[in-house]
Amino acid sequence: MTDLTDQKTAALAAINAADTLDALEEQRVAALGKKGWVSLALKTLGGMSPEERTQAAPAIQATRGEVADAIASRKAALESAALAQKLASETLDLTLPAPATKRGSVHPVSQVMDELAEIFADLGFSVATGPEIEDDWHNFTALNMDESHPARAMHDTFYFPDTNSDGNKMLLRTHTSPVQIRAMKADGAPIRIIAPGRVYRSDSDATHTPMFHQVEGLVIDKDIHLGHLKWTLETFLKAFFEREDIVLRLRPSYFPFTEPSVEVDVGYANTGGRRVVGGSGDDEGHDWMELLGSGMVNRRVLESAGVDPDEYQGFAFGVGVDRLAMLKYGMDDLRAFFDGDARWLSHYGFSPYDQPTLSAGVGVKP
Ligand code: DAH
C-alpha cells in the first residue's frame, strides 16, 4: 500500500514536471503502459483472496484514475502552451497585397457572345440554343434546302455515318439557322431570339477554321418588314462597335431560307494597318466590307416550323462571331483563336470581373 502511495507521489511529480509531450508520454507508459507499475499492481489482484481483493482494488483503481487525470491535464496544458507560442510567432499581415497567382481570362469569342446577348436583351431578344450534332432536316430541308438543293454542296458538311431514328442523316450543323426552326417549333410566333453557337465546315485557312461561331437572329411577328431588319442591324452594330457613324449597305442576294435576301456591308477605313468600322464605304479612303447575311424569312421556312405565313412574317440574319471579334478587337488570324496559347489569351482575353453592360460599355478592355 505504502509502495503504491510512494509510487503515485513520485509519478505525479514527474508528470507535472514533464515539459514536452514526449516526456509526458514516457511517464504514461511507465505508469499505465502494459508493463507500467499501475498495470502490474492491477495484475496482483488476480492472486488475492476475495476479501483482500475487495480491500485492495479501490485503492489501485483510485490511483490509476488520479494518474490518468494528471496526465490528461498536463497534456492539455502543454498543448495550449504550444498553441499560444505558435500564435505568437506566426503572425499574418492582412495589409500585405495578395500574392501573385495565375489568372484565367475570358476568351474574346465568349466576350463577344456576352456582348451580343446584352445588346439584344435590351432590344427584347432572348437567347435560344440548339444541338451542334444536328439532323439534315433541321440543318437543310426545313430551311428550304431539300436533298437536291445546290446550296447544300456549298456548306462543306461533316456528316456522321449513321442516320437518326427518323432516317435523317446526322451532321455537325453548318450554321446556326436550324435554331430558327427549333425555336419556332418550340415557341411558335411571335418570337424574338438570337442563337449564338459553334458551327462546323470542312474548311481551313487564315480566315476559316473547321469550327467557328455564328449568331443567328430571328424576329417573327405581324407586319414585320425590311425596315425593321435594317433598323435592328444598325442599332445592334452601333451598340457593338460603340460608335454612331456605322453606315450599312444592303445588297440583294440569295439564301434559300429568306425571300428577299440581302447581304449587308458595313463601311470601314484602313486605319493604323487595320480595318476600322465606321463611316460610309463611298467616302474618301473608305470601302465596303461584307458583314452578314439576312432577309425576310421564306414562307416555306415558316411552314416547316409550323407558323402560318399568312398571319406572320419576319426577318432573320446570321453573322460570324469570330469575325465580329476580329474587327472589334483587332486580331488578324482566326486560327490563333483556337490554339489555346496562354500568351495570346492573356493578351486578347478579358477579365472575368468585367461583365459587358450597356451602361458601363460593352467590351471595355482591362
Ligand atoms: N446561315 C447562313 C450561313 O451560314 C447565314 C444567314 C444568311 C443566316 C441569311 C440567316 C439569313 O438567318 O437570313 O451562311
Side-chain angles (χ1 to χ4, degrees), residues 4 17-18 24 50 59 68 70 100 106 110 123 132 142 171 180 190 203 232 234 239 262 264 269 273 301 310-311 345:
L4 200 62
L24 185 62
V106 175
S110 306
L123 298 175
E132 289 168 31
L171 45 81
Q180 290 187 28
D203 208 352
T232 304
E234 262 168 14
V262 285
V264 178
V301 172
D310 291 323
E311 195 179 356
L345 290 167

Side-chain angles (χ1 to χ4, degrees), residues 106-123 125 127 194 196 215 235-243 319-331 348-351 354-366:
V106 175
H107 194 284
V109 169
S110 306
Q111 172 74 17
V112 166
M113 285 188 177
D114 288 348
E115 293 173 22
L116 296 172
E118 173 69 13
I119 292 166
F120 279 102
D122 196 50
L123 298 175
F125 287 64
V127 173
I194 56 165
V215 62
T235 305
F236 144 52
L237 292 168
K238 281 178 184 171
F240 179 72
F241 288 109
E242 296 181 272
R243 49 194 297 165
V319 50
V321 173
D322 317 280
R323 187 84 197 297
L324 287 176
M326 289 168 87
L327 275 174
K328 182 165 177 180
Y329 297 114
M331 309 83 159
Y348 288 113
F350 290 81
S351 163
D354 286 327
Q355 291 294 317
T357 60
L358 285 177
S359 51
V362 281
V364 244
K365 271 300 274 181

Side-chain angles (χ1 to χ4, degrees), residues 25-63:
E25 176 64 7
E26 267 173 41
Q27 291 305 316
R28 191 192 65 77
V29 173
L32 305 178
K34 245 192 198 156
K35 292 187 179 147
W37 57 269
V38 176
S39 308
L40 294 179
L42 280 167
K43 274 190 194 145
T44 61
L45 292 173
M48 292 182 188
S49 67
E51 295 78 35
E52 284 172 329
R53 196 180 302 140
T54 337
Q55 235 205 336
I60 302 176
Q61 295 291 12
T63 302

Side-chain angles (χ1 to χ4, degrees), residues 1-9:
M1 209 70 247
T2 346
D3 251 16
L4 200 62
T5 316
D6 290 348
Q7 276 174 308
K8 186 182 80 179
T9 313

